[in-house]
Amino acid sequence: MKIVDAQVIVTSPSRNFVTLKVVTEDGIYGLGDATLNGREQAVVAFLREHCVPALIGMDARNIEDIWHYFYRGVYWRRGAVGMAALSAIDVALWDIKGKALNTPVYNLLGGKSRSSVAVYGHASGRDLPHALDRVAEYLDMGYRYIRVQAAVPGVKDSYGVQKGSGSYEPAKKGLAPVETWDSSRYLRFAPQLFEAVRAKFGFDVHLLHDVHHRCTPIEAARLAKSLEPYQLFWMEDPCPGELQEALRLIRQHSTTPIAIGEVFNTVYDYTTLITEQLIDFVRLPPAHGGGITHAMKTAALAGVYQVRTGFHGATDFSPVGMAASLHVDLTINNFGLQEYMGHDPLVSEVFRAPYHYEHGALHLSDAPGLGVELDEVAAAKFPYDPACLPVARLEDGTLWNW
Ligand code: GCO
Ligand code: MG
């Protein structure tokens, strides 16, 4: 089953998405999500210049070998751009295989371990009372897992707080906007926020919180300890994860579960974290972590150490990337939770998603392959619209982790 064509499609229905379409000699095509928020064109160039020419002529059935060709065979391996490109290639090949065998991808990965995929939504408040209103809205919508964020009093730009109406989207037009951050105010406020949420809603709902890499390891340990009474389902990215050993410090001080890795690229970013049981959830999804092939391996290593998955599912992923996550989520035994933010309605003019939200979960159709359809005519109506993620500075101007 020779690959005869591969196109990189860039479209911006409310936000930018990059999609790889791989076409085989018998007319079957597969889709892969190559979106990397704020760095879209780097992945486009990498795919068009370096991957597509090599892909043409390969046998689409040999997913494992093609994966290694674009991983081992690339001397400058790993990195966000290269792995986003490889992820798109791999996911498109799984889509093709499913369509060729007339079965959904989850059947090829081992079949269903559950009937639907539990998701968490984002309750973000302009202030504490607004965050409580948002939690109530998510409970009314049937969510049983809710991430809670709120603007920190005295801090100009808190992470995760929606400005204006519409869905939260941190990337802004033009060059990176500068936000101001203050960890000490945040460390005082976070326990007050969760105290108020638990006082109002009790302990039946699962609560999550994203620290978004803002703390040092010892600050993160203090935060994890101070949040312990509120029994979070997870605390996410408490400090930058590239120093895996730093998580030992947090672990020594607290039993608050930890989720990490949305900015990772491969299982190698996780080896210490998983094998020393320093975390509880892996966040790296197929669309950024080497596709379905590598996500299954990362999940398998995690499973051996009783670490579960909690794939990143921000609006940054197109319905193609989300579908890839859902096929894995449905299959693996050590599934934990899936992030789901939903997209702007314009996105559905371009992508027809095979999943829908109901009663706190996403339900995936049994269409062959990934099940996503892309309307290329509609895609062409929304040209690329440059946008960038912010940078953070402390009040004295020191550059910090956004
Ligand atoms: C999350 C993430 C996102 C990121 C975004 C950056 O947990 O959903 O932290 O909100 O900020 O993916 O592009
Ligand atoms: Mg996050």
Side-chain angles (χ1 to χ4, degrees):
M1 191 191 270
K2 250 196 196 148
I3 295 171
V4 291
D5 192 19
Q7 297 145 26
V8 185
I9 299 158
V10 184
T11 181
S12 191
S14 81
R15 63 164 342 284
N16 294 311
F17 294 113
V18 179
T19 310
L20 177 70
K21 178 179 177 184
V22 178
V23 186
T24 62
E25 59 189 342
D26 44 11
I28 297 180
Y29 70 87
L31 301 174
D33 184 7
T35 310
L36 189 61
N37 203 3
R39 293 290 182 268
E40 293 86 0
Q41 299 292 27
V43 188
V44 171
F46 186 66
L47 278 168
R48 282 192 184 141
E49 301 294 323
H50 303 287
C51 303
V52 167
L55 203 52
I56 309 281
M58 286 182 169
D59 187 333
R61 291 173 299 188
N62 300 335
I63 301 178
E64 184 75 10
D65 184 66
I66 295 178
W67 193 92
H68 283 281
Y69 182 90
F70 286 104
Y71 185 80
R72 287 181 186 229
V74 174
Y75 188 63
W76 312 109
R77 59 180 69 169
R78 303 171 70 192
V81 172
M83 291 305 290
L86 171 51
S87 302
I89 295 170
D90 181 81
V91 170
L93 297 179
W94 280 103
D95 192 18
I96 290 171
K97 194 177 284 293
K99 286 172 178 165
L101 299 174
N102 196 27
T103 192
V105 168
Y106 63 74
N107 266 341
L108 305 171
L109 305 178
K112 284 189 184 181
S113 288
R114 56 196 56 77
S115 55
S116 64
V117 173
V119 293
Y120 71 94
H122 290 200
S124 308
R126 288 186 298 273
D127 51 27
L128 198 156
H130 185 228
L132 298 179
D133 293 346
R134 299 284 291 146
V135 172
E137 284 168 31
Y138 275 90
L139 286 170
D140 283 348
M141 288 188 277
Y143 282 82
R144 289 166 289 122
Y145 298 83
I146 304 175
R147 186 187 97 160
V148 188
Q149 311 286 140
V152 180
V155 175
K156 215 170 125 252
D157 311 285
S158 308
Y159 161 75
V161 179
Q162 183 175 330
K163 290 187 179 134
S165 58
S167 52
Y168 171 69
E169 178 51 69
K172 299 282 174 304
K173 311 253 174 277
L175 289 177
V178 180
E179 297 189 347
T180 312
W181 179 247
D182 180 349
S183 298
S184 51
R185 285 178 203 274
Y186 166 70
L187 288 171
R188 286 196 300 275
F189 174 68
Q192 294 166 15
L193 173 64
F194 282 92
E195 169 72 38
V197 177
R198 285 300 188 205
K200 181 151 186 185
F201 300 102
F203 280 79
D204 278 347
V205 53
H206 294 288
L207 300 178
L208 299 83
H209 182 65
D210 191 350
V211 187
H212 219 258
H213 328 269
R214 300 288 168 98
C215 290
T216 63
I218 195 67
E219 286 171 346
R222 178 179 142 202
L223 178 65
K225 207 166 153 182
S226 68
L227 293 178
E228 234 166 50
Y230 313 113
Q231 296 173 25
L232 296 193
F233 185 78
W234 80 42
M235 176 173 96
E236 180 183 331
D237 289 329
C239 61
E242 60 256 39
L243 182 65
Q244 298 187 46
E245 294 84 344
L247 272 291
R248 289 186 192 132
L249 186 71
I250 306 172
R251 230 19 172 194
Q252 280 161 18
H253 291 282
S254 169
T255 56
T256 296
I258 294 169
I260 212 161
E262 67 181 39
V263 299
F264 288 178
N265 321 127
T266 69
V267 73
Y268 300 107
D269 300 314
Y270 271 121
T271 45
T272 304
L273 293 174
I274 291 175
T275 59
E276 292 191 25
Q277 289 167 303
L278 301 178
I279 57 169
D280 303 279
F281 298 92
V282 292
R283 294 271 295 150
L284 180 60
H288 283 169
I292 289 171
T293 297
H294 199 64
M296 290 296 285
K297 290 177 184 174
T298 306
L301 180 71
V304 170
Y305 291 89
Q306 302 195 19
V307 172
R308 289 184 285 166
T309 61
F311 290 154
H312 187 202
T315 45
D316 316 13
F317 300 99
S318 79
V320 178
M322 273 303 291
S325 285
L326 294 175
H327 283 275
V328 176
D329 291 336
L330 267 188
T331 305
I332 54 175
N333 173 260
N334 59 324
F335 165 75
L337 190 61
Q338 170 68 52
E339 182 178 20
Y340 175 58
M341 286 177 75
H343 283 119
D344 187 282
L346 271 187
V347 175
S348 60
E349 291 189 18
V350 176
F351 296 93
R352 203 156 77 228
Y355 50 84
H356 68 278
Y357 171 84
E358 208 182 329
H359 304 314
L362 285 178
H363 301 258
L364 185 62
S365 84
D366 57 4
L370 286 179
V372 186
E373 277 168 42
L374 171 70
D375 181 337
E376 290 181 54
V377 177
K381 287 191 212 147
F382 302 102
Y384 172 64
D385 191 8
C388 225
L389 287 171
V391 295
R393 288 189 184 275
L394 303 182
E395 277 162 4
D396 70 355
T398 306
L399 197 91
W400 201 245
N401 314 304
W402 177 73

